[in-house]
Amino acid sequence: MTKGEETRQRIVELAAPLFNQRGYAGCSVADIMEATGLEKGGIYRYFESKEDLAAEAFKFSVAEIRKLRTDDLDSIPGAVAKLRFIMDRFVSEPSPMQGGCPLMNTAIDADDGNAALRGLVRDAFVDWRRRVAAIVRQGIRDGDINKSTDPAELADTIIATLEGALMLARLDGNKRALKHVRQSMELLLTAHSV
Amino acid sequence: MTKGEETRQRIVELAAPLFNQRGYAGCSVADIMEATGLEKGGIYRYFESKEDLAAEAFKFSVAEIRKLRTDDLDSIPGAVAKLRFIMDRFVSEPSPMQGGCPLMNTAIDADDGNAALRGLVRDAFVDWRRRVAAIVRQGIRDGDINKSTDPAELADTIIATLEGALMLARLDGNKRALKHVRQSMELLLTAHSV
């Protein structure tokens, strides 16, 4: 990495949690100047606009969260164990950065606004939903999960439930809601298992 | 209502969907001036601050959504039918106002910021969770729901799942995720039913 690339990367890494905590409108370029110690010109040397920086920060957040949520997944044998691993990991470490899940935060933040961010977060959720559905499909092929199970339905349920519970848990300031849905998802998984 | 009270109420009703769509930081007093056709002084005659107006707008939103989600609920016989009614109503009419569910939006918006709004949204979710848990408890007493079911666990799961699915549905621009979780919740309800 050149010095310029290093600075650019440092701006992205410092901006990501700020956008995640404050939202797009709530995080100003002045906030990012303060966090990075750079002048406005020093930031705009690397990014065309605040939109551009927010998009890069979100891509960084998505890469971090994808790593957190699916790292080591390949080493887990069997679809049902993989789904359990995803849920347990989510409950134990719901987000890699301050402010909660960047996917959910950006989805709520961008659903009425910023079209570029909205496209990126939609892609990120499509990717996550497909990955979970692929695990369910593998489970059906392996005979671990019922043939009648709809992979997209189960994937959407697991993801929606975890994200919704994280929202409640952050409000509560404790993991009660996450533990509650983890129990319910276990029951659902049992109902889908062969 | 006096003319002043009417004006105040009109500001609240017009501000509520703006805060809901844009978030607290993303909705300026200028936006509210534009929507209401009032000068800044005409708004601050009725509210101490933007914080104060946002809190009143949120209380209005909560009352609207509570009406939408639980109206007619008393006329539904039996706990399981009541839970189905809540879920069906949520899928058919997820939010009474532009911008999606004001509870979820405000929860995400306020979890790192605005303490007053955070308190209000926490109270609103506590209320909703208690009401759903009370229905489950009634179902256990009536012998419709298993004695081993944890009312808070099932209530948290239903609410987290519906809210998470609404987030996905708004990103998708269709109700697929809501319909998926509705199916899953039916399976879960069956597992909890006697």
Side-chain angles (χ1 to χ4, degrees):
Chain A
M1 263 198 209
T2 65
K3 193 148 190 298
E5 285 166 347
E6 268 177 30
T7 305
R8 189 182 189 279
Q9 182 59 20
R10 196 170 68 85
I11 298 169
V12 167
E13 289 181 19
L14 290 169
L18 295 180
F19 279 115
N20 195 42
Q21 287 174 280
R22 301 177 193 180
Y24 179 74
C27 176
S28 66
V29 175
D31 293 332
I32 293 159
M33 286 161 59
E34 197 188 321
T36 56
L38 292 169
E39 299 294 321
K40 194 175 266 191
I43 292 169
Y44 283 123
R45 183 181 303 168
Y46 300 101
F47 305 94
E48 278 178 26
S49 58
K50 183 181 156 187
E51 285 85 346
D52 183 29
L53 171 54
E56 292 305 313
F58 179 69
K59 286 180 202 167
F60 170 76
S61 300
V62 170
E64 290 289 296
I65 209 152
R66 183 173 159 154
K67 197 161 56 180
L68 179 75
R69 288 184 181 160
T70 56
D71 228 20
D72 312 322
L73 194 60
D74 287 344
S75 67
I76 311 292
V80 174
K82 277 187 165 69
L83 295 174
R84 282 199 181 107
F85 177 87
I86 289 170
M87 295 189 285
D88 289 339
R89 174 66 70 87
F90 193 100
V91 173
S92 64
E93 293 179 75
S95 167
M97 70 175 60
Q98 286 293 310
C101 174
L103 269 70
M104 177 167 56
N105 291 346
T106 309
I108 298 296
D109 197 33
D111 59 358
D112 296 296
N114 202 312
L117 271 181
R118 187 183 163 140
L120 287 174
V121 71
R122 190 190 282 140
D123 290 349
F125 268 117
V126 164
D127 176 64
W128 192 22
R129 291 155 88 178
R130 279 199 190 136
R131 287 150 73 93
V132 175
I135 294 170
V136 177
R137 212 167 287 117
Q138 183 65 46
I140 296 171
R141 270 199 300 274
D142 293 347
D144 299 331
I145 295 176
N146 291 328
K147 282 201 181 77
S148 61
T149 296
D150 177 340
E153 181 184 304
L154 185 52
D156 278 2
T157 303
I158 290 172
I159 290 169
T161 307
L162 291 173
E163 293 286 5
L166 175 55
M167 183 255 304
L168 294 176
R170 287 180 50 80
L171 266 187
D172 292 343
N174 64 54
K175 289 195 172 176
R176 187 162 163 266
L178 281 165
K179 288 175 182 167
H180 277 164
V181 306
R182 180 64 188 88
Q183 288 293 326
S184 294
M185 289 304 101
E186 190 59 37
L187 195 59
L188 194 66
L189 209 54
T190 304
H192 282 287
S193 296
V194 173
Chain B
M1 262 200 210
T2 65
K3 191 148 192 298
E5 285 166 347
E6 269 177 28
T7 305
R8 188 182 189 281
Q9 182 61 20
R10 197 171 67 86
I11 298 169
V12 167
E13 289 181 19
L14 290 168
L18 294 180
F19 279 116
N20 195 42
Q21 288 175 278
R22 301 177 192 179
Y24 179 74
C27 177
S28 66
V29 175
D31 293 331
I32 293 159
M33 286 161 60
E34 198 189 321
T36 57
L38 293 168
E39 299 294 320
K40 193 176 266 190
I43 292 170
Y44 284 123
R45 183 181 303 167
Y46 301 101
F47 305 95
E48 278 178 28
S49 57
K50 183 180 155 187
E51 285 82 349
D52 183 28
L53 172 52
E56 292 306 312
F58 180 68
K59 286 180 202 165
F60 170 76
S61 300
V62 170
E64 289 289 296
I65 209 150
R66 184 171 159 155
K67 198 160 58 180
L68 178 76
R69 289 184 180 160
T70 56
D71 227 21
D72 313 320
L73 194 60
D74 288 345
S75 67
I76 311 291
V80 174
K82 276 188 165 68
L83 296 174
R84 283 199 180 108
F85 177 87
I86 288 170
M87 295 191 284
D88 289 340
R89 175 65 71 89
F90 194 100
V91 173
S92 64
E93 292 179 75
S95 169
M97 70 174 62
Q98 286 292 310
C101 174
L103 268 71
M104 177 168 56
N105 291 346
T106 309
I108 298 295
D109 197 34
D111 59 358
D112 298 295
N114 201 311
L117 270 180
R118 186 182 164 139
L120 288 174
V121 71
R122 189 191 281 138
D123 290 348
F125 267 116
V126 164
D127 176 63
W128 193 22
R129 292 156 88 177
R130 278 201 189 133
R131 287 151 71 93
V132 174
I135 295 170
V136 176
R137 212 168 286 117
Q138 184 63 47
I140 295 171
R141 272 198 300 273
D142 294 347
D144 299 332
I145 294 177
N146 292 329
K147 280 200 182 78
S148 61
T149 295
D150 177 341
E153 181 184 304
L154 185 52
D156 278 2
T157 302
I158 290 172
I159 289 168
T161 306
L162 291 173
E163 293 285 5
L166 175 54
M167 183 254 305
L168 294 177
R170 286 182 50 78
L171 266 187
D172 291 344
N174 64 54
K175 288 193 171 177
R176 187 163 164 263
L178 281 165
K179 288 175 183 167
H180 277 165
V181 305
R182 179 65 188 87
Q183 288 292 326
S184 294
M185 288 305 101
E186 190 58 39
L187 194 59
L188 193 67
L189 210 52
T190 305
H192 282 287
S193 295
V194 173

